[in-house]
Amino acid sequence: IDDALREGGEFITPLRNEYKLGDADKEDSAELEEGEHRANATIYIGGQHHFYMETQCAYVIPDEDDCYTVYNPNQWLDAANIGVARVLGLPASQVRIVNRRSGGGFGGKLSHNILIASIAAIASKKLHA
């Protein structure tokens, strides 16, 4: 592909993508050999987006009057507040988000943490009902 591009060729991709799960190294890969389009190339990837240095985590402590305190590292506290309140069926005023640390997130603690915090909040509510 690199040689063809240097000589003015084009790399054309189909408008639709079809994917099949399989093992290209097995002997019974006749479909791979009979494929309409085949390419052998080197792929260069610049950077990795959202490569965390720390894991996503959360713990939730139920409080009085059906309020919850959520401890998790995040970069978007109000979205976490609204998300957790929504899954608990509570107004956002009854959920307090405490950002412990969000070092090493590089943007990965922006919204992915809301799922983890929500799961912890549901477990906390069910265990302390």
Side-chain angles (χ1 to χ4, degrees):
I1 291 175
D2 288 340
D3 293 338
L5 290 174
R6 273 192 288 279
E7 294 175 14
E10 294 181 85
F11 184 70
I12 301 170
T13 58
L15 294 177
R16 61 182 167 75
N17 294 322
E18 292 182 18
Y19 301 97
K20 286 188 176 182
L21 182 62
D23 186 348
D25 294 326
K26 285 188 174 180
E27 291 180 21
D28 61 346
S29 61
E31 287 184 10
L32 181 63
E33 295 298 325
E34 296 169 4
E36 182 180 347
H37 301 283
R38 292 178 25 174
N40 184 2
T42 302
I43 298 174
Y44 302 97
I45 299 175
Q48 172 69 41
H49 190 61
H50 295 320
F51 188 78
Y52 317 114
M53 290 175 25
E54 67 179 38
T55 59
Q56 301 283 2
C57 60
Y59 65 95
V60 179
I61 299 174
D63 204 345
E64 58 190 48
D65 299 323
D66 204 26
C67 294
Y68 294 84
T69 301
V70 180
Y71 295 89
N72 80 315
N74 68 75
Q75 295 170 292
W76 192 4
L77 279 77
D78 55 333
N81 176 265
I82 293 165
V84 170
R86 187 172 292 155
V87 300
L88 292 177
L90 299 172
S93 61
Q94 287 180 240
V95 176
R96 186 175 126 207
I97 305 292
V98 178
N99 183 10
R100 295 291 301 202
R101 291 175 228 22
S102 52
F106 303 107
K109 302 294 174 83
L110 195 60
S111 60
H112 297 169
N113 65 305
I114 298 170
L115 174 63
I116 305 302
S118 296
I119 291 168
I122 291 168
S124 179
K125 186 171 186 170
K126 289 195 175 283
L127 290 171
H128 296 94

